[in-house]
């Protein structure tokens, strides 16, 4: 079986961005669920900033996810997790999730990590990492985060409920509750050096 590499993305991976966005849109359509739409420029910036994770197999796109900070870096989200349908069922999503989680913990060790998802597989992965379900009021009040929901087909529900709940479930990892945590993976020395240069 061909080896799948999961790594922190950089500028050299921009050539995959359109494929990533098409895969995200197709998956959301197939599931009949909403997704916050992202532009080519947005995803490319995440790659350049060391805030994205990509999976490849012999140069072919396999999977992707990215992270973002909110509320003056007191909160972090891991978002946009997608796996190419041709590579599903091989544990790729969990590997990507472990890298994005580790990346967030290394770069912003005091930040709370949260996730909004309607997918049971993501909820299961979050739970294994120590996330707990929370009400939306416990999430960031950063308006720029919530504006990201405006492209979702379920946004009217969020509006009608005055941002109290929606189709998605809110989950959060609070580092204060895990004083002796062991990160799921170790980032390479090369990656750590790059992140150090990028700063926070």
């Amino acid at each position: 079986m061909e080896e799948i590499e999961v790594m922190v993305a950089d500028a050299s991976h921009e050539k995959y961005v359109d494929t990533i966005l098409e895969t995200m849109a197709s998956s959301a359509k197939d599931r009949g669920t909403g997704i916050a739409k992202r532009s080519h420029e947005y995803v490319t910036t995440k790659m350049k900033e060391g805030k994205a994770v990509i999976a490849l197999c012999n140069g072919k796109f396999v999977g992707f996810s990215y992270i973002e900070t909110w509320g003056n870096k007191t909160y972090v989200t891991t978002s946009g997790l997608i796996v190419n349908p041709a590579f599903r069922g091989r544990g790729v999503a969990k590997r990507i999730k472990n890298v994005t989680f580790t990346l967030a913990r290394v770069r912003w060790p005091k930040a709370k990590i949260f996730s909004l998802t309607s997918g049971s597989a993501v909820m299961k992965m979050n739970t294994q990492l120590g996330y707990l379900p929370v009400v939306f009021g416990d999430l960031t009040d950063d308006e720029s985060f919530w504006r990201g929901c405006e492209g979702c087909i379920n946004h009217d529900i969020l509006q009608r409920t005055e941002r109290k709940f929606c189709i998605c479930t809110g989950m959060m990892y609070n580092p204060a509750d895990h004083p002796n945590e062991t990160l799921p993976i170790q980032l390479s020395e090369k990656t750590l050096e790059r992140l150090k240069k990028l700063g926070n």
Side-chain angles (χ1 to χ4, degrees), residues 48-67:
K48 291 176 179 176
E49 292 176 342
K51 295 179 179 177
V53 171
I54 192 166
L56 303 171
C57 182
N58 292 333
K60 185 173 183 178
F61 169 69
V62 175
F64 179 79
S65 185
Y66 64 90
I67 60 178

Side-chain angles (χ1 to χ4, degrees), residues 181-198:
E181 74 172 345
T182 300
L183 293 175
I185 64 142
Q186 292 290 321
L187 298 176
S188 71
E189 287 299 321
K190 184 178 178 181
T191 298
L192 291 172
E193 274 299 311
R194 178 181 167 226
L195 297 178
K196 192 174 179 181
K197 289 176 183 175
L198 287 169

Side-chain angles (χ1 to χ4, degrees), residues 102-115:
T102 301
L103 185 59
R105 294 295 301 123
V106 168
R107 296 193 72 174
W108 302 281
K110 294 182 180 179
K112 295 176 180 177
I113 307 174
F114 72 93
S115 168

Side-chain angles (χ1 to χ4, degrees), residues 16-28 35-44 61 64 66 82:
Y16 296 102
V17 170
D18 289 339
T19 301
I20 290 167
L21 294 173
E22 288 163 11
T23 307
M24 285 179 173
S26 176
S27 178
I35 188 169
K37 292 179 182 175
R38 300 297 183 217
S39 68
H40 182 105
E41 293 72 24
Y42 182 90
V43 175
T44 300
F61 169 69
F64 179 79
Y66 64 90
I82 189 72

Side-chain angles (χ1 to χ4, degrees), residues 140-161:
T140 181
D141 58 3
D142 191 322
E143 291 300 324
S144 56
F145 167 76
W146 294 102
R147 278 197 296 273
C149 294
E150 290 174 5
C152 175
I153 59 171
N154 299 313
H155 185 246
D156 63 310
I157 301 173
L158 195 65
Q159 286 182 305
R160 287 202 313 270
T161 62

Side-chain angles (χ1 to χ4, degrees), residues 5-17:
E5 291 185 275
V6 180
M7 68 207 86
V8 178
D10 58 36
S12 72
H13 297 114
E14 182 180 356
K15 61 186 176 183
Y16 296 102
V17 170

Side-chain angles (χ1 to χ4, degrees), residues 65-66 68 70 75-81 97 100-101 112-119 121-127 129 131-136 138-140 145-146 149 167-174:
S65 185
Y66 64 90
E68 184 58 280
W70 310 98
Y75 291 90
V76 179
T77 50
T78 62
S79 305
L81 178 60
K97 186 76 176 177
T100 53
F101 179 81
K112 295 176 180 177
I113 307 174
F114 72 93
S115 168
L116 275 181
T117 183
S118 58
V122 174
M123 290 181 205
K124 183 178 179 181
M125 287 186 281
N126 285 345
T127 300
L129 287 168
Y131 288 67
L132 293 173
V134 292
V135 297
F136 281 19
D138 289 342
L139 306 179
T140 181
F145 167 76
W146 294 102
C149 294
I167 298 297
C168 284
T169 296
M171 300 185 77
M172 183 178 289
Y173 178 95
N174 185 346

